[in-house]
Amino acid sequence: MRLTEPTIHADRLLVLLRQIVGTPHVLVAPHATAPYTKGFRFGDGKVRAVIRPRTLVELWRVAELCVAADQIMIVQAANTGLTGGSTPDGNEYDRPVILINTRRLHGMHLLAGGRQVICLPGTTLHKLETTLARHGREPHSVIGSSCIGASVLGGISNNSGGALVQRGPAYTEMALFARVTEDRRLELVNHLGLRLDPDPIKALSRLESGALTRDEIEWSGAKGHDQDYVTHVRDVDAETPARFNQDEKRWFEASGCAGKLVVFAVRVDSFPADADSRVFYIGTNSTDALEDLRRHLLTAYDELPIAGEYMHRDAFRIAEEYGRDTVALIRIIGTRSIPRLFAAKAWLDNLLGRFDFLPDHVTDRVMQKLGRLLPQQTPAKMREFEKRFAHHLMLRVSSRLAPQIEAYLKTTMQGEAGGWFACTPDEGKRAFLHRFAAAGAALRYRAVHGKKAGEIVALDIALRRNERAWFETLPASLEARIACALHYGHFLCHVMHQDYVLKPGESAEAVEHEMLRLLDARGARYPAEHNLGHLYEAGEAILSHYRDLDPCNCLNPGIGRSTKERNWKAESI
């Protein structure tokens, strides 16, 4: 099919975009675009402009202009990803890049008393969590990324995982989105379960208003979360992982689209909140004992645990030293203000980075010094377990399941097998906050140590459900290249996060390739839940999925280390 020629000259594009969103929301200066073009952990590149629409109609009109001018679009929400999937990847694109940030589009609409929620592009997990709490309900994810401002749509687009065992990866079959057709036209697709006008402007205006009538809301039976995951994760003898990003069973239009669509809204399920949950803290030096416990927890009861978070002793120690201020901040001011603090830190980092006489990572260095003045945030019982045990599991269960779990732990996790204790509410909260702090500890470690620390390799791994040798053993040649390693993860799902700070001069790319070869030999899959971004190579199945969603390759090209060229030209030779 012959493509239409650009109908808007590139020189006029910025003028027209300013007319739509206003001049203050068309950012072109490098210092203004930097907070959007540099990833949370990885990814950086130049863009022609960053656009910040205020309404869904503005987002549609911005996308229309970019299509008409034959520009690449990267649609970004909170920019909290870890693999660079929502930022440019260098500057080697065959067309100019327009980055559209959707943070200002933060509306949500509750349906049936909060049983389902329609979320607009900028709605954060934290905002959704606090809103649903007033209705005695909670969203798919309530730990970790919700504290730093991650968006609901970002989770859906990337099939993000999370810590809650019963819910699986973020997923929905209900979305309102735009796709760019093969002949380069923007078309709106309404699978949101709402009766909306076929005219995009009228449909988007109506949706954003939230004044929806019962007659406009459809209850078709389309899924608002992965309803099969509970059965799937219980199959502890399966040769395949429970969840990983290249699992095609969890791709459906906006779900798993990785930015290959312009998503205006998703409709997701919520869940009854368990206000009386209990936390057990478990320690052992035996990986077999912990694996036996995992299998028992997944197969022996009618109900699954709520969460089972793992930390190795080394991760415990690094998080205690380099994440103490993070835990203290959340405990003192709560999660509500954390996204703003992270945004302020990013702004300050960008500002201070303009002064060559200042050292790198000034804010991290200052926060680290202040953190050393704080009292220890981990309970004394946890610190005692850190001395005794290499492997730590934080297990959260409902009040209904707790007596059965406690009885089982009394008969199994004693003596040489390990130890455990039932946490008070405060101890349970601190335990999970400490685990959360581990996720950023490697970054802080590297920032503080400067040239004494090398590059970071961060792996996001899905192990086979039947894997017994789950804790990695590296060859001595690899161990010698690593300054420190952090192992933590969602243990019941066999999803592990492994961060390595390398010694100065070691190549992160070379080390990562060697590690991935070892993982391939073990039957592991990667990434597990952070999606491909620009770090991981896409397989043919997911590449075919991306081509179907975006035949022009004009939305977020290069994902999964694929070609950035128009119409996937480099991959059709």
Side-chain angles (χ1 to χ4, degrees), residues 322 359-362 364-365 368 372 441-456 483 501-505:
Y322 297 94
D360 294 336
H361 309 293
V362 173
D364 281 294
R365 293 170 185 268
Q368 182 63 21
R372 287 174 178 159
L443 290 175
R444 173 66 65 79
Y445 177 97
R446 181 172 184 258
V448 169
H449 286 272
K451 294 181 180 180
K452 295 180 181 179
E455 298 179 288
I456 290 180
V501 181
L502 304 183
K503 293 179 179 178

Side-chain angles (χ1 to χ4, degrees), residues 374-394:
L374 295 169
Q376 289 179 310
Q377 298 298 303
T378 50
K381 292 179 186 177
M382 286 173 56
R383 297 198 300 274
E384 177 62 28
F385 266 44
E386 180 269 319
K387 296 174 183 176
R388 294 171 56 195
F389 303 117
H391 307 287
H392 298 239
L393 181 68
M394 288 137 275

Side-chain angles (χ1 to χ4, degrees), residues 187-489:
E187 66 175 15
L188 188 68
V189 180
N190 177 19
H191 291 163
L192 195 58
L194 295 180
R195 296 184 181 92
L196 297 173
D197 194 289
D199 176 75
I201 302 300
K202 293 179 180 178
L204 294 170
S205 297
R206 180 64 177 166
L207 171 62
E208 193 155 27
S209 74
L212 304 170
T213 66
R214 289 186 178 181
D215 291 339
E216 291 174 300
I217 302 171
E218 300 172 335
W219 298 92
S220 63
K223 295 178 180 179
H225 78 284
D226 183 0
Q227 299 171 1
D228 302 322
Y229 187 73
V230 171
T231 302
H232 186 71
V233 75
R234 283 183 182 273
D235 188 359
V236 296
D237 293 317
E239 289 279 347
T240 56
R243 53 181 167 95
F244 55 100
N245 287 129
Q246 297 200 63
D247 184 354
E248 52 193 288
K249 292 183 222 159
R250 297 185 178 94
W251 306 336
F252 191 92
E253 297 175 342
S255 296
C257 73
K260 287 295 185 179
L261 300 170
V262 181
V263 184
F264 294 92
V266 296
R267 180 171 166 180
V268 295
D269 291 336
S270 71
F271 307 85
D274 196 324
D276 298 320
S277 64
R278 293 185 60 191
V279 174
F280 296 98
Y281 197 94
I282 300 157
T284 181
N285 290 313
S286 168
T287 57
D288 279 339
L290 211 55
E291 178 60 19
D292 288 341
L293 176 60
R294 184 186 80 92
R295 288 169 166 262
H296 178 82
L297 292 169
L298 292 175
T299 60
Y301 308 108
D302 293 336
E303 178 184 338
L304 287 180
I306 297 169
E309 292 295 286
Y310 167 80
M311 288 183 73
H312 185 264
R313 172 189 280 150
D314 292 341
F316 186 110
R317 291 170 176 170
I318 295 292
E320 169 64 26
E321 184 172 356
Y322 297 94
R324 186 181 301 185
D325 56 312
T326 300
V327 175
L329 275 174
I330 296 174
R331 288 187 59 237
I332 294 169
I333 67 175
T335 57
R336 182 180 181 85
S337 300
I338 295 299
R340 293 177 185 171
L341 290 176
F342 270 87
K345 178 182 179 299
W347 176 84
L348 188 58
D349 284 337
N350 180 53
L351 176 66
L352 297 176
R354 299 181 213 171
F355 301 99
D356 294 336
F357 62 88
L358 291 175
D360 294 336
H361 309 293
V362 173
T363 58
D364 281 294
R365 293 170 185 268
V366 171
M367 290 171 68
Q368 182 63 21
K369 288 184 180 296
L370 293 175
R372 287 174 178 159
L373 302 176
L374 295 169
Q376 289 179 310
Q377 298 298 303
T378 50
K381 292 179 186 177
M382 286 173 56
R383 297 198 300 274
E384 177 62 28
F385 266 44
E386 180 269 319
K387 296 174 183 176
R388 294 171 56 195
F389 303 117
H391 307 287
H392 298 239
L393 181 68
M394 288 137 275
L395 184 65
R396 185 181 296 279
V397 301
S398 71
S399 56
R400 299 176 299 278
L401 187 57
Q404 299 174 72
I405 299 297
E406 187 165 0
Y408 183 77
L409 293 175
K410 286 179 179 178
T411 62
T412 57
M413 300 303 294
Q414 302 284 0
E416 293 185 3
W420 65 279
F421 63 88
C423 296
T424 65
D426 181 63
E427 288 170 340
K429 180 179 179 181
R430 291 189 188 217
F432 276 89
L433 285 178
H434 187 61
R435 156 64 185 89
F436 166 67
L443 290 175
R444 173 66 65 79
Y445 177 97
R446 181 172 184 258
V448 169
H449 286 272
K451 294 181 180 180
K452 295 180 181 179
E455 298 179 288
I456 290 180
V457 174
L459 299 182
D460 171 26
I461 303 158
L463 301 175
R464 296 177 302 174
R465 282 169 282 173
N466 67 346
E467 178 67 79
R468 290 203 61 92
W470 55 269
F471 190 75
E472 82 171 354
T473 302
L474 294 176
S477 59
L478 262 180
E479 288 275 10
R481 304 164 77 175
I482 298 169
C484 76
L486 289 78
H487 295 74
Y488 53 95

Side-chain angles (χ1 to χ4, degrees), residues 500-567:
Y500 310 88
V501 181
L502 304 183
K503 293 179 179 178
E506 296 290 349
S507 165
E509 184 175 4
V511 169
E512 180 179 348
H513 285 173
E514 191 168 345
M515 288 182 169
L516 294 183
R517 284 194 294 271
L518 295 173
L519 290 170
D520 289 338
R522 296 172 62 191
R525 299 296 299 269
Y526 46 82
E529 59 182 10
H530 293 157
N531 218 345
L532 302 168
H534 294 287
L535 279 179
Y536 295 95
E537 187 170 343
E540 181 52 39
I542 201 167
L543 280 177
S544 177
H545 173 62
Y546 291 159
R547 293 187 201 106
D548 288 342
L549 294 177
D550 178 24
C552 295
N553 202 24
C554 59
L555 283 154
N556 215 6
I559 288 296
R561 295 187 174 180
S562 61
T563 180
K564 298 176 183 175
E565 293 192 30
R566 180 190 285 106
N567 309 322

